[in-house]
Amino acid sequence: MEVLSLIAGGVTTAVQPINLMLIVLGVTVGLFIGAMPGLGSVNGVAILLPVTFLVPPTSAIIFLAAIYYGAMYGGAISSVALGIPGASTAVATTFDGRPLALQGRASLALVTAALASFVGGTVATVFFSLFAPLLAEVALSFGPPEIFALMLLAFATFVGLGGDDIPKTIFSICFGLVLATVGFDTISGEPRLVLFDIQGFLRGIGFIVLAIGVYGIGEMLWTIEQTRGDVTTTNPKMTVKGLISDSKEAVRRGWKGTWIGSVLGFFVGVLPAAGATPGSLMAYGVAKMTSRTPEEYGKGSPDGVAAPEAANNSASTGSMLPMLTLGIPGSPTTAILLGGMVMWGLTPGPRLFIDESEFVWGLIGSFYISNVAAVVINLAFIPLFVWMLRMPFTILAPLIFVLSIIGGFAASRSMHDLWLIVIFGISAFFMRKFDYPLAPAVLAIVLGPIAEPTLRQSLLLSSGDPTIFFTRPIAAPIMVIALILIFLPALKLLRRKRQVTQD
Amino acid sequence: MEEIPAHPAGKTRPKDRTIREDYIMTLTKRLFLGLAAGTALATLPISAMAQEWQPTRPVDFTIMAGPGGGADQIARFVQSVVEANDMMNRPLIPTNRGGGSGAEALLHLNETRDPDHTLMVTLNSFYTTPIRQDGLGVDIETFTPITMMGVDPFVLWVHTDSGITTFDEFVAAVREMNGEYVMGGTGTGQEDSIVIAYMSGVYDLDIKYIPYDGGGAVARDLAGQQIMATVNNPAEANGFYAAGDFVPLLAFSDERMDAYPDVPTMRELGHDFSYYNQRAIVGAPGMSDEAAAYYREVFGQVYESQSWQDYLVSESLSPLPMDEAETRAYWATQVENHRQLLSEIDG
């Protein structure tokens, strides 16, 4: 097969000594950048972009892609070990990764994350190699109505899941959506909700600010209050044998989440505008929904760690696809990579696969190698991260506060954001005390800025007619599934009531 | 030339603090370089320019748009040329401050406490945003002109599958659709909407306009035929044009563009209208003359470099070299033109 020989050629390019060295370096740097709360692949790639002028373009993008990959793996580390998502892509990883760590199973969570990331990344690379041009066509057929339907589906997976108090879940989503509208409105070009006329709000409220506030400060206050500062996490000593038995358990209890995340993540990643964060959140929702034991989710299910981790790696590979084939970045990180490619004298777009075949296949080959390198390096560092957890909580808690503040400041270099982090942290603590789920608010601030403009663009297209969502071949089925999921809990409730009256 | 104080009144800082910050910044830069490129970069000689003033800390290189767009691409390209040729003794740190159609960037420059180390890469929201947002309190004529890197023309594009190949056919198609013809753009009051508004006015077209959050997204949705036509900069559409997906119909440049010699201009059709996106590097208000002279020298070198000249050709930018006085005069006329164009759209 032609594709196989192209892949073989690409892998050969990727294992050349200089490229291999850059992969190992990039993955390691990415791992640590991703593990810092607040810093994600965007920062890593942006900072190191100028360095890549020292090497040929293929090596340069291989290096940057390796950082991107490493950061996806690394994001899970602070989600698990500190309870703060290392990057927006790792929010869903905290839902189950953190409880596992508190149960003394941090190593299981980290091993699951690493293995799921490996599978996700590899599955996505296979899809990428085989179907790139075809998928680019699919991505283009997603206009505003389709993207909106998809976003609604993402919300639906969270509302319709049951378990949590549904009115409170809806309240939390609305709270996040309101925060998401702060700042400039794309459609009208007017500022909205510039609270107290503070100029900082013109920029809107970033996801990182909310996530660090909620998880870094809010959760930490909650933990301190609950335990009076006496957190006991039992962390068995890490041994090679322990690592192997954790790996076995991770495979046994996380395979389902892994494959859901791998497939779903890739397709969401391919769509322009979506990217790895919605991909990982949706994968978590779908994995929970299809699970036979959904009640385990949120309490330390390895599936709940595997799904988002497989998805964010899969999606980050997926988001390379519209960048390379259409010249349209699917995520902020790929936007910077795109800028880099222009600098190196390459024109991303429909002709790249033909004109720069060697470059493209070298990059694809590097995906395979990067994944192998990332999983090995990640597993090797796990004992270090688990050791970090053995620190007494009285040392760890202030450390997390400091990391939260530094990370929050580093992302935007604005004092305004720091104050917001503190305010959100304290509010999150009280919301938590009153049993409001916070994940939906975080979900809303990620998806809101995608959902709202696409809703309005769709309605502009149809001159205000909402049937546009039900008459287009791709949007319609997605909408129907989303609506069913939203109303599922209400239907269940009705049926239960009817049964009660019949009895 | 009158002396502009480096630190405006009320914003001066105690001297010892500045020195300490310099020291910290130097350390940070060394660390950064060390981490980034090992000793290779750090031991390269600092370019010997006969200048008295040199930056003493990393230079804030604000981009008044989000990542991935035209201004962002240019900023990062310029940074790479400076970095590759070691033209500055301190790094440029690109930061996207695209919020509020560039309002965030304008405010940042207006309020900076260190105008000598604060630069911005512009597009035309440099003119339009202060006009549209009175409350901003930004007067761009107080900003410091550095270098005009080029101007980016606009072109009207349709998808190949539409079968439209000339501007006349486009006009006929729009009229036939009776208000249902859909164009995408980057928002009311943005560059492309000004062009579309002018075109619609002259040819009496009724177009449904869908705003997006960037030129890249607009081009993507034309490629997917979610929208029927766009007014995009060549850089945003060239990939699709090369692949045969897009057809250029009309250029809003002064003369025919080298990249599309068969595409007529609005001027040829008898309308005195051309429209360009300004790709300039601008300094904060209150930048000292010495610092401005230094940056003009540096970015002048970037402009002259083979890399930038090649970039101008490949991205279809037009050169428009100007000195400081010419730039100030150009700004004044642009502000006036935009005020008029925007009042026509809003009115």
Side-chain angles (χ1 to χ4, degrees):
Chain A
M1 265 171 76
E2 198 201 346
V3 172
L4 286 180
S5 73
L6 286 168
I7 294 174
V11 171
T12 320
T13 311
V15 293
Q16 281 170 7
I18 176 164
N19 294 343
L20 198 60
M21 199 186 77
L22 286 172
I23 286 174
V24 171
L25 185 69
V27 164
T28 314
V29 170
L31 197 67
F32 282 92
I33 290 176
M36 263 295 286
L39 292 184
S41 53
V42 181
N43 312 76
V45 170
I47 293 168
L48 293 177
L49 187 60
V51 181
T52 58
F53 295 105
L54 304 171
V55 292
T58 310
S59 305
I61 195 154
I62 285 176
F63 179 56
L64 294 180
I67 297 174
Y68 192 17
Y69 257 84
M72 288 295 156
Y73 278 79
I77 293 164
S78 74
S79 294
V80 171
L82 306 178
I84 315 171
S88 64
T89 47
V91 176
T93 315
T94 52
F95 300 164
D96 281 280
R98 184 64 183 156
L100 275 174
L102 291 175
Q103 291 157 24
R105 308 298 314 271
S107 61
L108 173 65
L110 291 171
V111 170
T112 310
L115 294 179
S117 296
F118 173 70
V119 176
T122 306
V123 167
T125 309
V126 172
F127 282 150
F128 194 116
S129 326
L130 298 180
F131 308 117
L134 191 75
L135 285 164
E137 288 291 310
V138 175
L140 278 183
S141 62
F142 271 68
E146 285 77 19
I147 304 272
F148 175 73
L150 195 73
M151 291 302 120
L152 195 69
L153 182 64
F155 282 120
T157 53
F158 268 68
V159 181
L161 284 174
D164 297 321
D165 188 337
I166 288 175
K168 283 182 175 168
T169 303
I170 291 174
F171 174 85
S172 185
I173 286 184
C174 293
F175 179 67
L177 284 178
V178 170
L179 292 183
T181 59
V182 171
F184 268 84
D185 170 28
T186 312
I187 308 285
S188 66
E190 300 292 328
R192 294 186 300 191
L193 286 179
V194 181
L195 310 167
F196 314 110
D197 280 333
I198 298 172
Q199 298 288 1
F201 284 114
L202 282 175
R203 202 173 47 237
I205 295 171
F207 153 80
I208 284 288
V209 170
L210 186 69
I212 292 185
V214 166
Y215 293 101
I217 312 256
E219 286 288 293
M220 211 43 59
L221 290 175
W222 169 255
T223 314
I224 292 169
E225 201 222 25
Q226 288 298 296
T227 61
R228 305 274 161 219
D230 185 27
V231 182
T232 44
T233 52
T234 48
N235 283 299
K237 247 200 156 82
M238 285 296 300
T239 56
V240 175
K241 216 171 125 190
L243 208 61
I244 291 169
S245 80
D246 278 338
S247 306
K248 281 185 185 153
E249 190 176 349
V251 172
R252 188 162 51 77
R253 296 178 60 194
W255 66 270
K256 206 174 152 205
T258 305
W259 77 256
I260 291 175
S262 304
V263 177
L264 190 73
F266 182 71
F267 287 100
V268 176
V270 165
L271 301 175
T277 308
S280 65
L281 289 163
M282 284 176 79
Y284 183 86
V286 172
K288 183 174 176 185
M289 201 160 45
T290 53
S291 169
R292 242 175 278 148
T293 51
E295 66 280 358
E296 275 180 24
Y297 280 72
K299 297 186 186 108
S301 159
D303 268 331
V305 176
E309 275 306 305
N312 68 28
N313 272 61
S314 187
S316 60
T317 306
S319 67
M320 297 266 189
L321 200 143
M323 175 192 85
L324 292 171
T325 55
L326 305 172
I328 308 296
S331 66
T333 313
T334 48
I336 295 171
L337 289 178
L338 188 75
M341 288 173 65
V342 174
M343 283 180 229
W344 302 320
L346 299 162
T347 312
R351 294 202 45 88
L352 188 75
F353 271 73
I354 303 155
D355 295 346
E356 302 286 347
S357 163
E358 197 183 326
F359 170 83
V360 171
W361 289 101
L363 177 64
I364 294 175
S366 86
F367 291 166
Y368 287 99
I369 307 296
S370 291
N371 263 307
V372 176
V375 76
V376 170
I377 293 169
N378 197 348
L379 287 175
F381 275 118
I382 284 178
L384 174 74
F385 295 117
V386 172
W387 169 81
M388 207 162 66
L389 273 176
R390 295 162 67 94
M391 274 190 268
F393 190 71
T394 41
I395 294 179
L396 199 58
L399 201 65
I400 292 176
F401 279 121
V402 170
L403 282 178
S404 298
I405 298 294
I406 293 176
F409 186 73
S412 65
R413 280 179 265 160
S414 126
M415 275 310 286
H416 172 77
D417 282 356
L418 275 194
W419 289 116
L420 279 183
I421 287 175
V422 173
I423 293 168
F424 283 138
I426 295 169
S427 324
F429 168 70
F430 284 106
M431 278 177 81
R432 183 79 203 254
K433 262 188 102 66
F434 294 117
D435 265 341
Y436 282 89
L438 291 165
V442 175
L443 178 83
I445 206 165
V446 174
L447 303 184
I450 308 172
E452 194 222 328
T454 49
L455 171 65
R456 292 169 66 191
Q457 283 162 350
S458 307
L459 291 175
L460 278 171
L461 275 171
S462 69
S463 307
D465 182 1
T467 55
I468 185 171
F469 297 112
F470 299 98
T471 50
R472 294 169 57 119
I474 300 176
I478 304 178
M479 274 309 267
V480 170
I481 298 171
L483 290 178
I484 290 174
L485 285 179
I486 289 176
F487 291 109
L488 203 60
L491 289 176
K492 270 186 189 158
L493 203 72
L494 272 179
R495 207 165 43 189
R496 214 175 299 149
K497 271 195 182 147
R498 203 175 298 155
Q499 273 172 355
V500 170
T501 46
Q502 274 170 1
D503 291 344
Chain B
M1 182 142 287
E2 63 170 1
E3 187 74 26
I4 303 165
H7 297 289
K11 288 181 179 174
T12 43
R13 287 184 287 176
K15 197 151 191 169
D16 61 335
R17 201 175 140 202
T18 317
I19 291 166
R20 203 164 57 225
E21 276 186 14
D22 287 354
Y23 172 68
I24 294 166
M25 282 303 184
T26 315
L27 263 183
T28 323
K29 148 125 178 166
R30 283 216 191 103
L31 267 174
F32 167 74
L33 284 179
L35 275 173
T39 48
L41 266 179
T43 52
L44 282 173
I46 289 165
S47 66
M49 272 190 294
Q51 292 283 341
E52 284 185 10
W53 190 91
Q54 287 210 332
T56 50
R57 69 192 67 184
V59 177
D60 180 337
F61 204 43
T62 289
I63 303 157
M64 61 184 312
D72 186 60
Q73 285 181 21
I74 285 170
R76 292 180 196 281
F77 189 89
V78 167
Q79 181 208 10
S80 76
V81 175
V82 170
E83 201 80 36
N85 299 305
D86 207 35
M87 291 174 176
M88 282 171 66
N89 64 330
R90 291 287 183 275
L92 291 168
I93 309 290
T95 313
N96 294 96
R97 291 192 170 90
S101 305
E104 187 193 351
L106 290 166
L107 284 174
H108 175 74
L109 257 75
N110 221 26
E111 287 164 10
T112 181
R113 289 188 295 175
D114 187 8
D116 281 3
H117 294 91
T118 311
L119 298 172
M120 177 168 73
V121 181
T122 69
L123 47 158
N124 282 7
S125 44
F126 183 64
Y127 307 119
T128 55
T129 300
I131 297 175
R132 286 179 65 84
Q133 296 173 44
D134 301 332
L136 219 52
V138 171
D139 177 8
I140 58 122
E141 292 180 49
T142 62
F143 285 49
T144 312
I146 302 292
T147 308
M148 179 66 84
M149 301 303 292
V151 288
D152 213 348
F154 284 89
V155 176
L156 174 68
W157 304 90
V158 291
H159 197 280
T160 313
D161 292 354
S162 69
I164 296 172
T165 53
T166 66
F167 182 64
D168 288 339
E169 289 172 23
F170 169 80
V171 171
V174 176
R175 290 200 177 133
E176 201 178 312
M177 298 283 284
N178 224 346
E180 289 299 308
Y181 197 88
V182 180
M183 286 185 73
T186 52
T188 309
Q190 299 300 316
E191 294 85 353
D192 59 85
S193 79
I194 290 175
V195 174
I196 292 173
Y198 180 84
M199 184 175 75
S200 310
V202 172
Y203 287 93
D204 190 25
L205 303 175
D206 189 4
I207 288 167
K208 197 184 267 186
Y209 182 76
I210 312 287
Y212 285 84
D213 59 4
V218 175
R220 174 198 74 216
D221 268 12
L222 179 61
Q225 301 195 62
Q226 309 292 340
I227 49 181
M228 300 169 191
T230 68
V231 170
N232 266 121
N233 289 128
E236 294 156 342
N238 264 347
F240 296 104
Y241 171 66
D245 291 334
F246 286 10
V247 183
L249 297 181
L250 190 67
F252 300 92
S253 49
D254 289 323
E255 281 157 28
R256 287 201 179 201
M257 293 171 61
D258 294 339
Y260 324 109
D262 300 329
V263 177
T265 64
M266 195 68 160
R267 286 193 187 284
E268 285 175 44
L269 300 181
H271 303 285
D272 183 21
F273 181 85
S274 63
Y275 197 79
Y276 293 89
N277 222 338
Q278 161 182 281
R279 306 297 190 191
I281 294 171
V282 167
M287 179 181 274
S288 69
D289 287 344
E290 295 79 27
Y294 172 83
Y295 292 122
R296 281 183 199 128
E297 168 90 29
V298 169
F299 293 106
Q301 285 181 17
V302 173
Y303 183 85
E304 300 292 331
S305 71
Q306 195 55 47
S307 331
W308 181 256
Q309 292 300 323
D310 292 345
Y311 187 86
L312 287 179
V313 174
S314 72
E315 304 298 315
S316 301
L317 266 71
S318 307
L320 188 68
M322 273 190 259
D323 66 18
E324 187 195 345
E326 285 166 343
T327 310
R328 287 198 187 277
Y330 178 76
W331 284 357
T333 49
Q334 286 290 321
V335 167
E336 206 31 62
N337 289 348
H338 278 93
R339 202 180 291 281
Q340 206 176 334
L341 287 165
L342 287 173
S343 72
E344 279 164 24
I345 294 180
D346 293 334

